[in-house]
Amino acid sequence: MAQTEGNVIFGLSQTLKEQVSISGGQVQQNNFYDYPVLRMSEMPQIDIQLMPSDNPAKGIGEASLPLVAPCVGNAVFKLTGKRSARCRCRRSGLRR
């Protein structure tokens, strides 16, 4: 369950904040002090629930990461009525 929660946090951070800037052929970010990631104070409450199943147990943590960006995109669509083929879930992208 902790791995799933960690992947949801990672996915939210990727979708909402993370960005690599390149200028003059050089990556502008050096480390986490100038690379925007979600901080603990910015995280929503996350509720992970396991569903009972007769299927054999398998790894579930990795499966949650690819679902986060589409879920955020659907939430943005529900709020704004606008859908985008690109992931523009950052504030600057939503204003366009």
Side-chain angles (χ1 to χ4, degrees), residues 15-17 69 72-74 76 86-94:
T15 304
L16 299 174
K17 272 199 158 180
V72 171
N74 284 337
V76 169
R86 285 202 240 158
C87 186
R88 290 194 227 168
C89 297
R90 291 168 189 77
R91 287 184 184 162
S92 61
L94 293 174

Side-chain angles (χ1 to χ4, degrees), residues 11-74:
L12 284 172
S13 192
Q14 280 184 321
T15 304
L16 299 174
K17 272 199 158 180
E18 293 182 28
Q19 182 173 318
V20 175
S21 308
I22 299 175
S23 178
Q26 298 283 327
V27 173
Q28 299 303 299
Q29 292 75 25
N30 293 307
N31 210 326
F32 287 113
Y33 67 86
D34 61 357
Y35 181 76
V37 295
L38 285 177
R39 305 295 182 200
M40 287 180 66
S41 62
E42 300 172 301
M43 284 294 160
Q45 182 176 344
I46 298 171
D47 181 27
I48 307 295
Q49 298 181 15
L50 295 178
M51 304 301 290
S53 173
D54 294 331
N55 294 328
K58 295 184 179 183
I60 60 168
E62 297 85 3
S64 59
L65 181 58
L67 304 174
V68 176
C71 289
V72 171
N74 284 337

